[in-house]
Short mmCIF file of all heavy atoms in Angstrom, two decimals:
data_model
loop_
_atom_site.label_atom_id
_atom_site.label_comp_id
_atom_site.label_asym_id
_atom_site.label_seq_id
_atom_site.Cartn_x
_atom_site.Cartn_y
_atom_site.Cartn_z
N LEU K 162 -13.75 -28.40 13.80
CA LEU K 162 -14.46 -29.65 13.54
C LEU K 162 -14.68 -30.45 14.81
O LEU K 162 -14.62 -31.66 14.84
CB LEU K 162 -13.68 -30.47 12.52
CG LEU K 162 -13.48 -29.80 11.13
CD1 LEU K 162 -12.65 -30.72 10.23
CD2 LEU K 162 -14.83 -29.52 10.48
N GLY K 163 -14.96 -29.71 15.90
CA GLY K 163 -15.22 -30.37 17.17
C GLY K 163 -13.99 -30.63 18.02
O GLY K 163 -14.14 -31.15 19.14
N TYR K 164 -12.81 -30.26 17.55
CA TYR K 164 -11.58 -30.47 18.30
C TYR K 164 -10.95 -29.13 18.64
O TYR K 164 -11.08 -28.15 17.95
CB TYR K 164 -10.59 -31.29 17.46
CG TYR K 164 -11.04 -32.68 17.14
CD1 TYR K 164 -11.74 -32.95 15.98
CD2 TYR K 164 -10.83 -33.72 18.05
CE1 TYR K 164 -12.18 -34.24 15.67
CE2 TYR K 164 -11.26 -34.99 17.76
CZ TYR K 164 -11.95 -35.26 16.60
OH TYR K 164 -12.38 -36.53 16.30
N ARG K 165 -10.25 -29.12 19.76
CA ARG K 165 -9.54 -27.89 20.19
C ARG K 165 -8.13 -27.91 19.65
O ARG K 165 -7.36 -28.87 19.89
CB ARG K 165 -9.53 -27.80 21.71
CG ARG K 165 -10.89 -27.51 22.31
CD ARG K 165 -10.77 -27.28 23.81
NE ARG K 165 -9.87 -26.16 24.09
CZ ARG K 165 -9.48 -25.81 25.33
NH1 ARG K 165 -9.88 -26.52 26.36
NH2 ARG K 165 -8.67 -24.80 25.50
N LEU K 166 -7.77 -26.82 18.93
CA LEU K 166 -6.39 -26.66 18.45
C LEU K 166 -5.76 -25.37 18.97
O LEU K 166 -4.71 -24.97 18.51
CB LEU K 166 -6.41 -26.61 16.91
CG LEU K 166 -6.96 -27.86 16.16
CD1 LEU K 166 -6.90 -27.62 14.68
CD2 LEU K 166 -6.13 -29.10 16.54
N ASP K 167 -6.44 -24.71 19.90
CA ASP K 167 -6.01 -23.39 20.29
C ASP K 167 -4.65 -23.36 21.00
O ASP K 167 -4.09 -22.28 21.20
CB ASP K 167 -7.06 -22.66 21.11
CG ASP K 167 -7.66 -23.53 22.20
OD1 ASP K 167 -7.78 -24.75 22.02
OD2 ASP K 167 -7.99 -22.96 23.27
N VAL K 168 -4.11 -24.52 21.39
CA VAL K 168 -2.75 -24.52 21.97
C VAL K 168 -1.75 -23.99 20.95
O VAL K 168 -0.69 -23.46 21.31
CB VAL K 168 -2.37 -25.93 22.43
CG1 VAL K 168 -2.25 -26.91 21.25
CG2 VAL K 168 -1.05 -25.91 23.22
N VAL K 169 -2.07 -24.12 19.65
CA VAL K 169 -1.16 -23.62 18.62
C VAL K 169 -0.93 -22.11 18.75
O VAL K 169 0.12 -21.59 18.41
CB VAL K 169 -1.73 -23.94 17.21
CG1 VAL K 169 -0.83 -23.42 16.09
CG2 VAL K 169 -1.98 -25.45 17.06
N GLN K 170 -1.94 -21.42 19.29
CA GLN K 170 -1.81 -19.96 19.45
C GLN K 170 -0.66 -19.58 20.35
O GLN K 170 -0.08 -18.47 20.20
CB GLN K 170 -3.13 -19.41 20.00
CG GLN K 170 -4.34 -19.60 19.09
CD GLN K 170 -5.61 -19.22 19.79
OE1 GLN K 170 -5.64 -18.36 20.68
NE2 GLN K 170 -6.70 -19.89 19.43
N GLN K 171 -0.28 -20.47 21.25
CA GLN K 171 0.81 -20.16 22.15
C GLN K 171 2.15 -20.09 21.41
O GLN K 171 3.13 -19.58 21.93
CB GLN K 171 0.91 -21.23 23.26
CG GLN K 171 -0.36 -21.28 24.12
CD GLN K 171 -0.32 -22.42 25.10
OE1 GLN K 171 0.75 -22.98 25.42
NE2 GLN K 171 -1.48 -22.80 25.63
N HIS K 172 2.19 -20.65 20.19
CA HIS K 172 3.46 -20.69 19.43
C HIS K 172 3.40 -19.75 18.23
O HIS K 172 4.35 -19.71 17.45
CB HIS K 172 3.72 -22.12 18.96
CG HIS K 172 3.82 -23.11 20.07
ND1 HIS K 172 4.99 -23.31 20.76
CD2 HIS K 172 2.89 -23.91 20.64
CE1 HIS K 172 4.79 -24.23 21.69
NE2 HIS K 172 3.52 -24.59 21.66
N ALA K 173 2.30 -19.02 18.06
CA ALA K 173 2.17 -18.14 16.90
C ALA K 173 2.63 -16.74 17.23
O ALA K 173 2.31 -16.17 18.29
CB ALA K 173 0.70 -18.10 16.45
N GLU K 174 3.45 -16.17 16.37
CA GLU K 174 3.95 -14.79 16.55
C GLU K 174 2.86 -13.80 16.08
O GLU K 174 2.15 -14.06 15.13
CB GLU K 174 5.23 -14.59 15.71
CG GLU K 174 6.41 -15.38 16.20
CD GLU K 174 6.93 -14.90 17.53
OE1 GLU K 174 6.81 -13.67 17.79
OE2 GLU K 174 7.42 -15.71 18.31
N PRO K 175 2.78 -12.65 16.76
CA PRO K 175 1.79 -11.64 16.37
C PRO K 175 2.25 -10.82 15.17
O PRO K 175 2.34 -9.60 15.21
CB PRO K 175 1.67 -10.77 17.63
CG PRO K 175 3.05 -10.86 18.25
CD PRO K 175 3.52 -12.27 17.97
N ALA K 176 2.56 -11.53 14.07
CA ALA K 176 3.09 -10.90 12.86
C ALA K 176 1.98 -10.70 11.84
O ALA K 176 0.94 -11.35 11.90
CB ALA K 176 4.21 -11.75 12.29
N ALA K 177 2.24 -9.81 10.87
CA ALA K 177 1.28 -9.51 9.82
C ALA K 177 1.27 -10.63 8.78
O ALA K 177 2.28 -11.27 8.52
CB ALA K 177 1.61 -8.19 9.16
N HIS K 178 0.09 -10.86 8.21
CA HIS K 178 -0.09 -11.82 7.14
C HIS K 178 -0.78 -11.14 5.97
O HIS K 178 -1.78 -10.44 6.18
CB HIS K 178 -0.93 -13.03 7.60
CG HIS K 178 -0.38 -13.74 8.79
ND1 HIS K 178 0.44 -14.85 8.70
CD2 HIS K 178 -0.51 -13.51 10.11
CE1 HIS K 178 0.78 -15.26 9.91
NE2 HIS K 178 0.22 -14.46 10.79
N LEU K 179 -0.30 -11.38 4.74
CA LEU K 179 -0.96 -10.84 3.58
C LEU K 179 -2.22 -11.64 3.30
O LEU K 179 -2.20 -12.88 3.32
CB LEU K 179 -0.03 -10.90 2.38
CG LEU K 179 -0.55 -10.26 1.08
CD1 LEU K 179 -0.77 -8.77 1.27
CD2 LEU K 179 0.44 -10.49 -0.06
N HIS K 180 -3.31 -10.95 3.02
CA HIS K 180 -4.58 -11.66 2.86
C HIS K 180 -5.41 -11.04 1.71
O HIS K 180 -5.47 -9.83 1.57
CB HIS K 180 -5.41 -11.57 4.15
CG HIS K 180 -6.63 -12.44 4.15
ND1 HIS K 180 -6.56 -13.80 4.33
CD2 HIS K 180 -7.95 -12.15 4.00
CE1 HIS K 180 -7.79 -14.31 4.31
NE2 HIS K 180 -8.64 -13.33 4.08
N PHE K 181 -5.98 -11.92 0.89
CA PHE K 181 -6.93 -11.52 -0.13
C PHE K 181 -8.27 -12.12 0.23
O PHE K 181 -8.39 -13.34 0.31
CB PHE K 181 -6.50 -12.03 -1.52
CG PHE K 181 -5.25 -11.38 -2.03
CD1 PHE K 181 -3.98 -11.88 -1.69
CD2 PHE K 181 -5.33 -10.27 -2.88
CE1 PHE K 181 -2.83 -11.27 -2.16
CE2 PHE K 181 -4.16 -9.68 -3.36
CZ PHE K 181 -2.92 -10.16 -2.99
N PHE K 182 -9.25 -11.27 0.53
CA PHE K 182 -10.53 -11.76 1.02
C PHE K 182 -11.28 -12.56 -0.05
O PHE K 182 -11.35 -12.17 -1.22
CB PHE K 182 -11.42 -10.60 1.47
CG PHE K 182 -10.92 -9.90 2.72
CD1 PHE K 182 -10.41 -8.61 2.65
CD2 PHE K 182 -10.96 -10.56 3.95
CE1 PHE K 182 -9.97 -7.99 3.78
CE2 PHE K 182 -10.50 -9.93 5.08
CZ PHE K 182 -10.00 -8.65 5.01
N GLN K 183 -11.83 -13.70 0.36
CA GLN K 183 -12.74 -14.44 -0.48
C GLN K 183 -14.13 -13.79 -0.47
O GLN K 183 -14.85 -13.82 -1.46
CB GLN K 183 -12.86 -15.90 0.00
CG GLN K 183 -11.52 -16.64 -0.01
CD GLN K 183 -11.63 -17.99 0.67
OE1 GLN K 183 -12.56 -18.74 0.36
NE2 GLN K 183 -10.71 -18.30 1.56
N ARG K 184 -14.49 -13.29 0.71
CA ARG K 184 -15.76 -12.58 0.89
C ARG K 184 -15.50 -11.37 1.75
O ARG K 184 -14.64 -11.39 2.61
CB ARG K 184 -16.79 -13.52 1.56
CG ARG K 184 -17.21 -14.69 0.70
CD ARG K 184 -18.07 -15.70 1.48
NE ARG K 184 -17.28 -16.35 2.52
CZ ARG K 184 -16.47 -17.40 2.30
NH1 ARG K 184 -16.35 -17.87 1.07
NH2 ARG K 184 -15.80 -17.97 3.28
#
Side-chain angles (χ1 to χ4, degrees):
L162 299 177
Y164 296 93
R165 289 187 59 187
L166 300 178
D167 46 326
V168 65
V169 180
Q170 297 171 30
Q171 299 174 18
H172 302 275
E174 292 291 328
H178 302 266
L179 185 62
H180 190 76
F181 292 86
F182 291 111
Q183 301 172 47
R184 292 171 294 278

